[in-house]
Amino acid sequence: MRANRLAVDVGGTFTDVVCLDDGGEIRFEKVPTTPENPTLGVVDSIARVGAALAGTSLFTHGTTLALNALLTRSGARTAVVATAGFRDVYLLGRTSREGNYDILYRTPPRLVERCDTFDVTERLMYDGSVHTGFDEADARRIAARIRDGGYESVAVAFLHSYVNPAHEESMREVLAEVAPGVEVSISSDLSREYREYERTSTAVLDAYIKPIVRTYLYDLGAELEAGGFEGRFLMMRSGGGAMTASSARESPVNLILSGPAGGVIGAAGFARMIGEPNLVTIDMGGTSLDASLIVDGQPVMHQGAEFESLPINISSLYIHTIGAGGGSIAWTDEAGGLQVGPHSAGADPGPASYGSGGSEATFTDAALVVGYLGKESPLGGTLTLDKDLALGALEPLAERVGITVEELALGVVRISAVKIMGAVRSITIELGRDPKDFALLAFGGAGGIVAVDVARELGMGTVIIPPGQGAFSALGMLMADVQHDFAQTAVMPLDSLDADRLERSYAGMSARAQEVLASEGFPPGRQVLARSVDLRYTGQEHPVSIVLPAGTSDPTRYLSQQFAELHERHYGHTMSDPVEVTTLRLGATGTVDQPRLPVLPRRSAGEPEPFATRPVLGGGGTYRIPTRVYRREDLCSGDEIAGPAVIVEHTATTVIHMDDSLLVGEHGELVIALGVTDD
């Protein structure tokens, strides 16, 4: 029996699954997400792809479960325990906020109220020394109040515990004894960095979602084992790597932004595979669109993610997300203008054309009326779209706007494309990068529909559609190594940092990293440790992170030079002020075997033949253009197709316009060279 490698990506509308066996055969499938029972959707997707769990060596999973719990405020009832006198650290937060002059700004709903916050007598100094000892009697009193208050989870965040976690660990022991049914998250397990509010916020987020995530992962693990699975069970994490399911159960905060991470990791791996190192990626699914950058074959990272202005003190991929997907609902604002999203029809009831009870017009309904989608190739292999239902949903909206249904349908698609352009601009032009220096990699169920429009408007000359685009995020999960991030605050002048001192500082983190990776089954030959250092000008608030190559003989000189170059690139200037170190970081990676994508055969004679012709709207909705429709499964390496054309597959659709040309790459990727067109 061939050993399968499986990945399942649960999105807001669809659950995507990919199966890769050791013979190189790859299968993609897409099934509706089951929000009421996400485990059921995962099991259904595995059955749909026809994979035998008993023959599966690796199962990698990405889910929006944690994110959705936060969005809907449906997490656990959570308490916060702080140092005596610092009870309000979490609720006070920072004074800065986005939109200082926005009179409509409202603070997002809190995860906890003041009545949920408690403090315990203890106090550490900045260097970890004890100012006030841990008062166990006081801790037991607070633990009893938490137990009797009906709390499901508790976050513990004591002052300066990033240097010395002893008091937090003592509080955990007390809670385990007095309130054994309550889940506990301590800040020093999640972050060893200074900034009290950010550490507390990270612990609260972790505690808030922990009961839900732990229950889900235990249930899913049991289902997999019942099916005969004995391989490695990994979860995608916000930082782009993977983590074992057991680690994810202990620190689920790492899963909050994991949803789009698989696509970015897959894009980085695919970029290196096809020799296209610089990519803008857009992942357009049923509910949202995620835009990111691949530079020199590596994803762009940033430290300090956020959820609704709540900081998460972990490393994360740099991803910009907007509400633009296949299920995005079209509507009119107070001025009568046409808008699309961010609200979505989701998986239930879905777009009107799904025939599942939806009545509001969506992007999918508009794309069907335009002619980009059709009934010749059912979505997911089973869902045939109903054009009459799509027209019925669009007509009332067209009457309100005062245009024809055809004009409205084109308008919905173009507004979505403009919103996506804004997302791409935010990660390129607004950060000093020119989109023309990148190719556009588009995936997700709806990414190929708008890709050429977005690229053309931004002046980009090439669009690439990877194999299995509709489930590409799941494919990317198979490329994810297991990753852990370690950090240690070490504020000091850069001039005082010498090689010996640096080695001593990293020794503890390295030993801990190697121990963790070994416990997860990675021998020394499968372990990779990467160092980086956060630097800033003295007096600055936010640092710049510099990668420090192993064996650097003069780290001070190297870091100083790199800091000047990066500061100039990011902020447009350098200064003569002294530079200081703020944080030492260590990325610990356990490497897994990278999947080998099959090479497509070349056509021995002839050229690709369309299987249908479809009338596609043009001219602002005034006429239709006969457009050839091809099955992607029929294409061979080296095939060329001239636009206009539509390429369909059972998980997605790709559209090219007049004067565009398409070349099929050796792995089945569609490489589209954009022409100049007025339509």
Side-chain angles (χ1 to χ4, degrees):
M1 180 181 294
R2 287 179 172 178
N4 297 320
R5 299 177 69 178
L6 277 172
V8 176
D9 177 26
V10 179
T13 304
F14 287 102
T15 294
D16 301 326
V17 58
V18 60
C19 177
L20 179 69
D21 66 29
D22 59 4
E25 182 181 354
I26 187 167
R27 302 188 298 280
F28 299 93
E29 290 293 344
K30 185 182 289 284
V31 301
T33 293
T34 53
E36 71 287 349
N37 186 354
T39 300
L40 177 62
V42 173
V43 174
D44 286 348
S45 70
I46 295 172
R48 180 67 180 277
V49 82
L53 285 173
T56 298
S57 60
L58 176 68
F59 176 77
T60 310
H61 183 33
T63 177
T64 56
L65 181 70
L67 180 61
N68 290 340
L70 290 167
L71 288 170
T72 59
R73 294 301 191 271
S74 58
R77 188 179 179 210
T78 303
V80 181
V81 179
T83 299
F86 291 82
R87 173 184 174 190
D88 293 315
V89 162
Y90 177 67
L91 296 179
L92 287 173
R94 296 290 182 193
T95 57
S96 60
R97 66 171 174 84
E98 294 183 5
N100 286 327
Y101 304 104
D102 183 2
I103 61 174
L104 299 179
Y105 176 83
R106 296 292 182 272
T107 303
R110 295 172 172 175
L111 300 181
V112 299
E113 299 296 335
R114 193 170 192 271
C115 61
D116 303 317
T117 63
F118 306 89
D119 54 7
V120 167
T121 302
E122 68 83 34
R123 179 70 182 270
L124 296 173
M125 299 295 285
Y126 75 95
D127 59 356
S129 60
V130 177
H131 178 275
T132 302
F134 178 75
D135 189 330
E136 185 173 337
D138 192 29
R140 287 180 173 276
R141 179 181 63 84
I142 294 300
R145 290 182 62 185
I146 291 171
R147 177 198 61 205
D148 298 338
Y151 291 98
E152 302 169 84
S153 197
V154 57
V156 180
F158 288 157
L159 195 67
H160 301 307
S161 60
Y162 65 92
V163 182
N164 180 0
H167 287 181
E168 284 192 350
E169 291 171 352
S170 296
M171 187 68 212
R172 175 163 54 190
E173 292 172 1
V174 170
L175 284 163
E177 181 181 342
V178 178
V182 177
E183 298 285 0
V184 181
S185 297
I186 66 173
S187 71
S188 54
D189 276 353
L190 303 168
S191 173
R192 288 293 183 91
E193 300 180 52
Y194 73 140
R195 299 184 187 275
E196 215 64 28
Y197 167 58
E198 284 77 3
R199 280 196 306 109
T200 305
S201 174
T202 303
V204 170
L205 287 163
D206 188 77
Y208 188 75
I209 62 175
K210 182 171 282 186
I212 294 174
V213 173
R214 283 173 68 92
T215 299
Y216 171 69
L217 291 180
Y218 275 123
D219 290 347
L220 180 56
E223 289 284 350
L224 295 175
E225 289 181 11
F229 177 69
E230 297 180 350
R232 178 173 285 167
F233 181 6
L234 302 180
M235 295 293 298
M236 287 301 300
R237 60 197 297 275
S238 304
M243 61 195 308
T244 62
S246 58
S247 295
R249 291 195 296 264
E250 299 305 317
S251 55
V253 70
N254 287 286
L255 306 181
I256 290 174
L257 303 176
S258 72
V264 180
I265 295 301
F270 195 66
R272 297 188 291 269
M273 190 179 301
I274 65 174
E276 191 74 51
N278 298 317
L279 298 172
V280 170
T281 75
I282 57 171
D283 177 4
M284 186 175 182
T287 304
S288 61
L289 176 132
D290 305 300
S292 66
L293 278 181
I294 306 298
V295 179
D296 295 330
Q298 298 295 329
V300 175
M301 305 289 295
H302 74 136
Q303 180 65 28
E306 284 191 355
F307 168 79
E308 292 186 349
S309 302
L310 300 175
I312 311 173
N313 216 19
I314 59 175
S315 295
S316 176
L317 293 167
Y318 189 76
I319 299 173
H320 185 75
T321 301
I322 61 172
S328 293
I329 295 170
W331 53 285
T332 54
D333 58 25
E334 294 178 353
L338 181 63
Q339 303 288 343
V340 183
H343 301 295
S344 172
D348 184 15
S353 54
Y354 282 12
S356 299
S359 59
E360 296 183 278
T362 66
F363 174 90
T364 295
D365 300 315
L368 178 60
V369 172
V370 170
Y372 294 157
L373 299 175
K375 62 181 181 181
E376 303 96 335
S377 181
L379 295 182
T382 59
L383 179 59
T384 300
L385 301 180
D386 190 319
K387 187 174 181 180
D388 291 335
L389 291 176
L391 288 168
L394 290 166
E395 283 170 354
L397 190 59
E399 291 178 5
R400 289 202 299 272
V401 179
I403 57 178
T404 66
V405 173
E406 289 78 10
E407 290 171 332
L408 178 77
L410 276 176
V412 169
V413 173
R414 287 176 175 171
I415 288 172
S416 297
V418 169
K419 290 181 65 176
I420 297 166
M421 287 167 50
V424 174
R425 287 176 62 91
S426 71
I427 64 171
T428 53
I429 294 172
E430 294 179 13
L431 296 180
R433 299 185 184 275
D434 190 342
K436 296 177 183 178
D437 297 333
F438 296 80
L440 180 67
L441 184 76
F443 49 94
I449 296 176
V450 298
V452 293
D453 293 327
V454 171
R456 180 173 286 110
E457 292 298 324
L458 290 169
M460 305 171 74
T462 303
V463 170
I464 302 172
I465 309 294
Q469 60 164 316
F472 185 73
S473 288
L475 176 62
M477 292 175 186
L478 295 181
M479 302 180 185
D481 294 319
V482 171
Q483 184 178 331
H484 295 275
D485 295 318
F486 299 87
Q488 176 183 318
T489 292
V491 180
M492 68 181 84
L494 178 59
D495 290 343
S496 69
L497 183 69
D498 58 39
D500 291 339
R501 183 174 182 178
L502 195 68
E503 289 300 323
R504 290 194 301 271
S505 298
Y506 271 110
M509 282 193 290
S510 297
R512 190 151 53 102
Q514 291 165 346
E515 181 181 351
V516 169
L517 289 175
S519 70
E520 295 177 343
F522 293 98
R526 289 280 189 173
Q527 299 179 9
V528 178
L529 305 183
R531 300 176 177 182
S532 61
V533 180
D534 286 4
L535 301 176
R536 68 182 181 188
Y537 287 118
T538 302
Q540 273 189 330
E541 173 68 8
H542 298 290
V544 174
S545 190
I546 311 293
V547 175
L548 182 63
T552 302
S553 58
D554 189 347
T556 300
R557 180 179 179 182
Y558 177 84
L559 290 170
S560 178
Q561 179 183 355
Q562 291 297 309
F563 175 72
E565 293 178 3
L566 279 179
H567 200 279
E568 175 76 29
R569 183 188 305 170
H570 288 177
Y571 304 111
H573 71 282
T574 57
M575 299 190 296
S576 58
D577 295 36
V579 177
E580 65 180 5
V581 176
T582 62
T583 306
L584 304 178
R585 302 189 185 279
L586 182 73
T589 301
T591 60
V592 301
D593 292 329
Q594 293 297 301
R596 302 185 308 275
L597 294 185
V599 175
L600 231 60
R602 299 187 70 87
R603 191 178 301 276
S604 58
E607 58 185 26
E609 294 291 338
F611 75 94
T613 300
R614 185 186 298 168
V616 175
L617 277 174
T622 59
Y623 60 83
R624 290 187 179 269
I625 303 169
T627 302
R628 291 163 295 175
V629 184
Y630 298 82
R631 288 192 181 91
R632 188 167 185 178
E633 294 79 6
D634 296 337
L635 301 181
C636 296
S637 176
D639 281 352
E640 297 184 31
I641 296 174
V646 175
I647 294 87
V648 300
E649 50 192 300
H650 73 291
T651 62
T653 297
T654 301
V655 175
I656 62 174
H657 298 309
M658 190 76 71
D659 298 325
D660 297 337
S661 60
L662 181 153
L663 174 67
V664 181
E666 68 172 358
H667 296 289
E669 69 273 17
L670 309 180
V671 182
I672 303 167
L674 272 60
V676 178
T677 178
D678 297 326
D679 191 51

